[in-house]
Amino acid sequence: MSTWANLGLQDSASPLMEQLIFFHDHALLILVMITVLVGYLMFMLFFNSYVNRFLLHGQLIEMIWTILPAIILLFIAMPSLRLLYLLDEINEPSITLKSIGHQWYWSYEYSDFNSIEFDSYMIPTNELSTDGFRLLDVDNRIVLPMNSQIRILVTAADVIHSWTVPALGVKVDGTPGRLNQTNFFINRPGLFYGQCSEICGANHSFMPIVIESVPVNYFIKWISNSVNS
Ligand code: CUA
């Protein structure tokens, strides 16, 4: 979960988010190097008086400063494409969670188990317990097993929403009339918070997502209790 003055990415809770952070750092490093170099050159140009009155063309330098940036771009494009396809790869998911965006709450269905479905509303500030997170906690949390491949199906009932959980590296639009798919693997237990990331109306800011990541045997207990009740 993101806390005060955290300008970077959240700690990852899935292998894909780990890769996303590596790529972010890689791209940022290249960006900093280019900014420093260009900044230095521009700064130095202001403080010298070198003039070449007979300079009309420079084939060699033009070749170099055209091809060099193209090669640098390749070093960003190749890992970017690798990640793009990696994020879309589905590896035999053990369970499927369907999440449906509504104005303004999420509803969830565990379609592998008979008739487990519930709505998940934000807890208003005046009803929040002292250990709750304001604007981020919900009345019914998603419970998911850790160390398992999870498929998530996202759609919406009214307008476009976006199911976004930063620590898992998941951000999928829920669009009425469409069913989007992605997958993730949670590699540690804990609470993972997310929010809707598609401007969906007046209460867009108030439809958070909470995932409880638990060991598989706890998950089985939870799911069998839910089926019986
Ligand atoms: Cu749903 Cu913004």
Side-chain angles (χ1 to χ4, degrees), residues 102 104 106 160-162 196-200 204 207:
H102 303 262
W104 288 275
W106 292 98
I160 304 177
H161 299 270
S162 180
C196 177
S197 316
E198 198 75 69
I199 309 297
C200 57
H204 156 68
M207 46 184 301

Side-chain angles (χ1 to χ4, degrees), residues 145-164:
M146 61 186 251
N147 292 334
S148 318
Q149 283 290 340
I150 294 152
R151 167 166 47 206
I152 165 109
L153 302 173
V154 187
T155 185
D158 34 51
V159 297
I160 304 177
H161 299 270
S162 180
W163 201 84
T164 305

Side-chain angles (χ1 to χ4, degrees), residues 117-191:
E117 48 185 84
F118 54 87
D119 297 340
S120 182
Y121 282 87
M122 187 192 82
I123 300 176
T125 306
N126 56 315
E127 294 169 23
L128 201 64
S129 59
T130 38
D131 58 348
F133 293 111
R134 192 175 78 93
L135 305 182
L136 228 40
D137 259 320
V138 295
D139 53 359
N140 293 307
R141 291 167 168 173
I142 311 160
V143 178
L144 285 174
M146 61 186 251
N147 292 334
S148 318
Q149 283 290 340
I150 294 152
R151 167 166 47 206
I152 165 109
L153 302 173
V154 187
T155 185
D158 34 51
V159 297
I160 304 177
H161 299 270
S162 180
W163 201 84
T164 305
V165 182
L168 301 176
V170 177
K171 183 172 188 292
V172 189
D173 272 15
T175 310
R178 287 183 181 225
L179 192 62
N180 286 329
Q181 169 185 256
T182 190
N183 77 117
F184 55 80
F185 178 98
I186 312 176
N187 55 20
R188 59 188 165 94
L191 281 178

Side-chain angles (χ1 to χ4, degrees), residues 11 14 47 54-56 69 78-80 105 112 125 133 139 143 152 154 156 169-170 191 208 210:
D11 287 346
S14 80
F47 298 101
F54 304 105
L55 181 70
L56 290 173
M78 290 305 166
S80 172
Y105 63 96
D112 300 321
T125 306
F133 293 111
D139 53 359
V143 178
I152 165 109
V154 187
V170 177
L191 281 178
V210 185

